Amino acid sequence: MNAYLIVKTLHILSATLMVGTGFGTAFYLFWANRSGSVAAQAVVGKWVMKADWWFTTPAVIFQPLSGLWLLHQMGMPLTWSGAWLWVKWTLALYALAGACWLPVVWLQIQMARLSAAAWQAGENTLPASYKRYQFWWEMLGYPAFCATVVLYFLMVLKPM
């Protein structure tokens, strides 16, 4: 078996998992937030957190490790001055996505905590802080998602 092709396949699968889970969980939480149902927000918030820890986090860790290994196997110099432009863009966009995603994870935890507490207490509305967290969760989610879509194109096309 060819180790390069196995790692490349795992790299592509983990990218799919990272982007797909991110988009899927964002889609459901986005609409749960607009439903007006505290119960829906609590349940979806809980599962969004779990999906991020179970699927997104391992993929986020595996992506740069496998990507750097693949670059090394391709004979790509791993110095900034020797790297091709698409590698520089990939690293910069990955850093941007990560800089957005880390606060998003914290915001999701806060939102899940607030919605669970409100649901358990029988509340029909969420505290104002939930709306603030929701706003920043969305504002940080858009650039993170767009960056990962561009990363996908760079990963596949490798423009020289």
Side-chain angles (χ1 to χ4, degrees):
M1 283 207 155
N2 184 328
Y4 176 84
L5 292 178
I6 291 170
V7 173
K8 183 177 180 179
T9 301
L10 293 173
H11 184 75
I12 293 166
L13 289 172
S14 71
T16 303
L17 194 60
M18 182 179 74
V19 174
T21 303
F23 181 74
T25 58
F27 175 85
Y28 285 111
L29 189 55
F30 179 90
W31 289 110
N33 283 336
R34 278 151 182 77
S35 73
S37 168
V38 173
Q41 290 167 292
V43 171
V44 171
K46 171 183 137 182
W47 288 106
V48 163
M49 278 189 345
K50 289 178 185 281
D52 254 355
W53 289 116
W54 294 343
F55 304 114
T56 310
T57 300
V60 164
I61 294 166
F62 185 73
Q63 278 295 288
L65 297 175
S66 59
L68 291 171
W69 187 86
L70 291 166
L71 288 172
H72 177 72
Q73 295 301 306
M74 290 171 51
M76 166 71 67
L78 297 181
T79 62
W80 189 255
S81 61
W84 293 322
L85 186 58
W86 68 269
V87 173
K88 293 176 185 179
W89 272 104
T90 297
L91 295 171
L93 287 168
Y94 200 79
L96 170 66
C100 293
W101 180 68
L102 288 172
V104 160
V105 170
W106 182 85
L107 291 164
Q108 286 175 178
I109 292 168
Q110 302 312 308
M111 291 163 60
R113 183 182 55 78
L114 288 170
S115 59
W119 184 33
Q120 290 170 354
E123 302 287 331
N124 291 324
T125 59
L126 293 168
S129 57
Y130 187 97
K131 282 286 188 196
R132 283 194 309 277
Y133 294 149
Q134 176 188 341
F135 173 81
W136 287 110
W137 176 81
E138 287 182 27
M139 291 303 105
L140 291 166
Y142 295 129
F145 180 73
C146 290
T148 60
V149 170
V150 174
L151 281 167
Y152 230 97
F153 279 94
L154 292 172
M155 175 180 69
V156 173
L157 300 176
K158 295 178 185 58
M160 301 296 173

